[in-house]
Amino acid sequence: MDYIFFYLALSLIIMHEIDAVRCKEWRIFPGLASLGDKVGYIIFLFGHLPLFVWALWYLNQSENPDNFIIGFSQFCILHIGLHLLFYKHKYNEFKDWISWSLIVGAGLAGLFQLIWMSSC
């Protein structure tokens, strides 16, 4: 139970990345946008593979995953700010309640995880 909010945040971020493919998030990233949809999509999609492999490997192999969980929780909060920063980008398609529920939900779960860990 110590990491319940972390697992919620992680699940919401994974769901967000699925939604990011639907919303063609690579169009927002400097560099990827200029490569066109096909190449941008491929780099965006397969660029997540090392991130997910590393995170899952680290969580499985680490005797104490607290530093990773703290950093990931902080990222989830910062991630809301990044989406707010790019909200008016002409290619931003994260406009509906589903997308924002995932983004904000992950950030709130990250915040609750940090609060939980600091109170223990």
Side-chain angles (χ1 to χ4, degrees), residues 44-62:
F44 181 82
L45 182 68
F46 286 100
H48 284 81
L49 182 62
L51 293 173
F52 288 140
V53 168
W54 175 78
L56 295 171
W57 176 84
Y58 186 86
L59 287 169
N60 189 48
Q61 297 299 316
S62 178

Side-chain angles (χ1 to χ4, degrees), residues 57-103:
W57 176 84
Y58 186 86
L59 287 169
N60 189 48
Q61 297 299 316
S62 178
E63 290 182 24
N64 184 4
D66 285 0
N67 287 337
F68 178 85
I69 290 171
I70 290 168
F72 182 81
S73 298
Q74 292 169 338
F75 166 76
C76 288
I77 297 165
L78 174 67
H79 183 252
I80 296 172
L82 293 171
H83 276 277
L84 289 172
L85 182 66
F86 289 98
Y87 186 78
K88 293 191 179 197
H89 190 282
K90 67 180 180 178
Y91 293 121
N92 184 359
E93 295 185 26
F94 295 103
K95 302 287 185 174
D96 62 15
W97 69 270
I98 296 170
S99 294
W100 279 95
S101 294
L102 300 173
I103 294 164

